[in-house]
C-alpha cells in the first residue's frame, strides 16, 4: 500500500509549492522523485499512474504521490487544468512517535476546510521569505495533520460501510481480495476492516462469504444447474472447496441441501 505516514516526532520539510496552470495539454512526465508530492486539482484533470494504479484527479480531488515510486502519465492532461502542488520530505526520525496515515486519494473537497487550508498555506508560502522556513514547515505539518484527520472522519461515516457492503455484493461471484478493496477505496484494508467490523459486528471476509453462500443456496433452489457450474459462477476454482464452505455455512452439502429443499 503506497500510503504516506506522518508522525508527531519530526516536522515535514517543505521543498516547494505553488499553483500551476497549463496553457497547452501535456502528458505527465515519467519520473521517480526523492520526495512526496501533494496534488489538488481546481480545474480540469490530472492523469497519472503510480505503482501500476491509474489515477484521474478532478476538481475538488486530492492525491498524494509517494517518494521513491515511479509515476508517469498515460493520457494527456487537458489545457486549462489548474492545480495546487506541494513537494515535501519526511525525515527518518518520522518513523517513530505517534503515527497518522495520510489518505492516498480524496474526493468531494470543493469548498471544504482542507481546500481552504491548502489555499491559505500556498498563499502564506508566497508571502514568506527564507527566514520563515521553520514557520512554513510547521504550517505544512498542521495542513497534513488536518487532511489526515479529515480523511479519517470521512472514512468512518456509515456511508463507507454502505459502499463496502454494496461492493461486496457486486463482487460475490469472485474470491475475496483485500488488495482489490484497497485499490477501489484508496484506504488501507486494516482501516476499512475496523470500520466495517464496528458497524456490522462481522468481518468483511465473513460477510462476503455469507453473500456467496446465500447466492449458492438460491441457485441450488431455483435452478437445475450442476453443482460444479454453481461453484464456477461463484468464483470457486475447486468444487470440493465450495462444498466444504457451503456445508460450513448451512450444515448441509450442496447436493443434500438441494434434495431436502425439493422434498420439502
Amino acid at each position: 500500500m503506497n500510503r504516506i505516514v506522518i508522525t508527531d516526532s519530526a516536522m515535514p520539510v517543505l521543498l516547494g509549492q505553488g499553483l500551476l496552470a497549463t496553457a497547452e495539454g501535456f502528458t505527465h512526465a515519467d519520473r521517480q522523485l526523492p520526495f512526496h508530492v501533494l496534488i489538488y486539482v481546481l480545474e480540469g484533470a490530472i492523469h497519472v499512474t503510480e505503482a501500476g494504479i491509474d489515477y484521474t484527479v478532478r476538481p475538488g480531488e486530492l492525491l498524494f504521490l509517494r517518494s521513491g515510486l515511479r509515476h508517469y502519465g498515460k493520457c494527456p492532461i487537458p489545457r486549462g487544468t489548474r492545480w495546487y502542488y506541494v513537494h515535501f520530505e519526511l525525515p527518518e526520525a518520522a518513523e517513530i512517535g505517534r503515527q497518522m496515515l495520510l489518505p492516498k486519494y480524496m474526493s468531494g473537497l470543493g469548498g471544504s476546510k482542507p481546500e481552504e487550508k491548502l489555499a491559505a498555506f500556498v498563499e502564506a508560502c508566497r508571502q514568506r521569505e527564507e527566514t520563515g522556513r521553520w514557520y512554513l514547515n510547521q504550517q505544512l505539518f498542521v495542513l497534513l495533520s488536518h487532511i489526515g484527520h479529515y480523511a479519517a472522519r470521512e472514512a468512518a461515516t456509515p456511508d463507507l460501510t454502505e459502499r463496502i457492503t454494496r461492493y461486496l455484493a457486486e463482487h460475490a461471484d469472485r474470491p475475496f481480495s483485500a488488495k482489490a478493496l484497497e485499490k477501489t477505496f484508496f484506504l488501507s484494508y486494516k482501516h476499512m476492516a475496523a470500520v466495517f467490523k464496528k458497524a456490522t459486528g462481522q468481518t468483511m471476509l465473513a460477510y462476503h462469504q455469507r453473500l456467496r453462500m446465500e447466492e449458492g443456496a438460491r441457485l441450488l433452489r431455483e435452478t437445475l444447474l450442476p453443482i460444479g457450474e454453481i461453484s464456477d459462477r461463484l468464483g470457486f476454482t475447486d468444487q470440493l472447496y465450495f462444498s466444504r464452505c457451503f456445508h460450513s455455512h448451512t450444515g448441509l452439502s450442496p447436493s443434500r441441501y438441494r434434495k431436502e429443499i425439493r422434498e420439502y
Side-chain angles (χ1 to χ4, degrees):
M1 189 65 176
N2 53 346
R3 303 276 294 280
I4 300 170
V5 177
I6 60 172
T7 78
D8 58 5
S9 64
M11 286 284 185
V13 178
L14 177 66
L15 300 178
Q17 50 66 44
L19 172 63
L20 295 178
T22 175
E24 297 294 336
F26 72 99
T27 300
H28 198 291
D30 187 335
R31 60 190 185 181
Q32 187 170 320
L33 300 174
F35 50 80
H36 305 300
V37 181
L38 180 161
I39 296 171
Y40 183 81
V41 175
L42 297 170
E43 294 182 49
I46 289 182
H47 306 285
V48 62
T49 298
E50 181 193 58
I53 301 176
D54 299 329
Y55 299 97
T56 296
V57 192
R58 297 185 173 86
E61 298 181 349
L62 174 151
L63 176 70
F64 282 101
L65 299 174
R66 185 171 176 173
S67 167
L69 293 181
R70 177 190 175 211
H71 61 263
Y72 55 93
K74 292 181 179 178
C75 304
I77 295 171
R79 180 175 58 185
T81 296
R82 294 172 61 245
W83 71 98
Y84 288 124
Y85 74 91
V86 179
H87 296 167
F88 63 98
E89 292 178 334
L90 293 174
E92 290 185 9
E95 294 180 4
I96 61 175
R98 189 166 53 185
Q99 297 184 339
M100 174 182 290
L101 190 65
L102 294 177
K104 185 64 187 173
Y105 163 89
M106 292 182 72
S107 61
L109 297 180
S112 69
K113 281 293 183 182
E115 182 185 69
E116 179 183 318
K117 288 183 177 294
L118 177 57
F121 173 75
V122 172
E123 178 61 21
C125 290
R126 189 182 68 81
Q127 294 180 5
R128 291 273 175 163
E129 297 180 352
E130 283 296 318
T131 53
R133 182 62 58 180
W134 283 103
Y135 169 80
L136 294 178
N137 287 343
Q138 179 192 41
Q139 292 305 301
L140 175 58
F141 177 77
V142 172
L143 172 65
L144 296 177
S145 299
H146 180 81
I147 291 172
H149 282 299
Y150 187 92
R153 288 196 304 270
E154 290 297 298
T157 63
D159 180 59
L160 176 62
T161 300
E162 292 172 5
R163 288 186 288 130
I164 292 174
T165 299
R166 186 164 56 249
Y167 174 89
L168 294 176
E170 292 171 351
H171 295 80
D173 59 345
R174 65 194 68 180
F176 182 85
S177 172
K179 288 185 177 180
L181 281 160
E182 288 185 328
K183 185 174 180 180
T184 299
F185 292 98
F186 301 99
L187 295 168
S188 72
Y189 176 74
K190 183 178 179 180
H191 174 76
M192 288 186 286
V195 171
F196 191 86
K197 181 71 178 292
K198 183 177 180 180
T200 67
Q202 59 187 310
T203 66
M204 290 188 285
L205 176 59
Y207 182 83
H208 181 257
Q209 188 76 323
R210 179 170 66 80
L211 290 175
R212 297 175 90 190
M213 295 305 101
E214 289 177 353
E215 177 62 9
R218 186 191 70 79
L219 292 172
L220 288 166
R221 290 194 309 269
E222 300 177 7
T223 75
L224 297 176
L225 292 172
I227 293 173
E229 187 170 340
I230 292 175
S231 173
D232 291 341
R233 285 195 177 196
L234 294 174
F236 288 88
T237 56
D238 184 342
Q239 181 181 331
L240 183 59
Y241 179 60
F242 163 68
S243 296
R244 287 202 300 267
C245 291
F246 190 85
H247 186 277
S248 177
H249 180 73
T250 65
L252 299 170
S253 68
S255 57
R256 184 66 184 174
Y257 178 86
R258 174 172 268 172
K259 182 178 179 181
E260 291 199 0
I261 287 294
R262 289 179 177 176
E263 288 177 350
Y264 179 79

